[in-house]
Amino acid sequence: MANKKSPKKGAATQTASSQVHGKKADTSQKVVKAKQSKAPAKAAKGKNGKAAKPGFLTRVKNYFASVRTEMKRVTWPTKEELIRYSVAVCVSLVVVGVVIAALDFVIGEGLVLFSGLRG
């Protein structure tokens, strides 16, 4: 990034080059005007100078409308995929349950042997 210049040098360089090349000044003015035209519009102001908040029913309606559009974008699994995923979840639940039960047994027996409470 050796071509980056500080803002002060860049402005001076741009004005110097715009004097040499007339087209450079015209395009930079167009860019500035385009950026100004895309400035965000101010929201309607309500009491206390704050932006007016839509009513409760309007917000609920907007929420359900956005939920509906998101649900249209969802890619739903086929019946075969759903069965495969369900079996995978059930198998993983059984495996994790067995591992936790085994660890519980080992740790419990280790504590009993360490403390000598049963014997």
Side-chain angles (χ1 to χ4, degrees):
M1 299 288 169
N3 292 336
K4 283 196 172 185
K5 297 175 183 170
S6 68
K8 291 180 182 178
K9 289 182 180 178
T13 306
Q14 186 178 6
T15 54
S17 66
S18 64
Q19 292 171 356
V20 174
H21 306 288
K23 290 183 179 180
K24 185 77 170 182
D26 293 337
T27 57
S28 64
Q29 289 174 358
K30 288 179 184 178
V31 170
V32 170
K33 287 181 182 178
K35 287 183 181 178
Q36 288 174 352
S37 66
K38 292 183 181 180
K42 292 183 179 179
K45 293 189 177 187
K47 295 179 183 177
N48 301 330
K50 294 183 179 178
K53 188 176 180 181
F56 177 74
L57 293 177
T58 305
R59 287 184 284 153
V60 169
K61 182 181 174 184
N62 289 341
Y63 172 75
F64 282 112
S66 64
V67 167
R68 184 176 179 180
T69 57
E70 285 296 324
M71 293 305 283
K72 288 180 181 179
R73 295 179 187 172
V74 172
T75 304
W76 297 100
T78 63
K79 186 176 180 180
E80 294 80 23
E81 290 175 333
L82 185 64
I83 292 170
R84 213 174 328 134
Y85 297 154
S86 299
V87 168
V89 168
C90 292
V91 167
S92 61
L93 284 173
V94 169
V95 168
V96 169
V98 168
V99 168
I100 289 175
L103 285 174
D104 180 50
F105 178 75
V106 168
I107 291 172
E109 289 299 317
L111 287 174
V112 167
L113 290 173
F114 179 73
S115 65
L117 292 176
R118 288 192 195 161

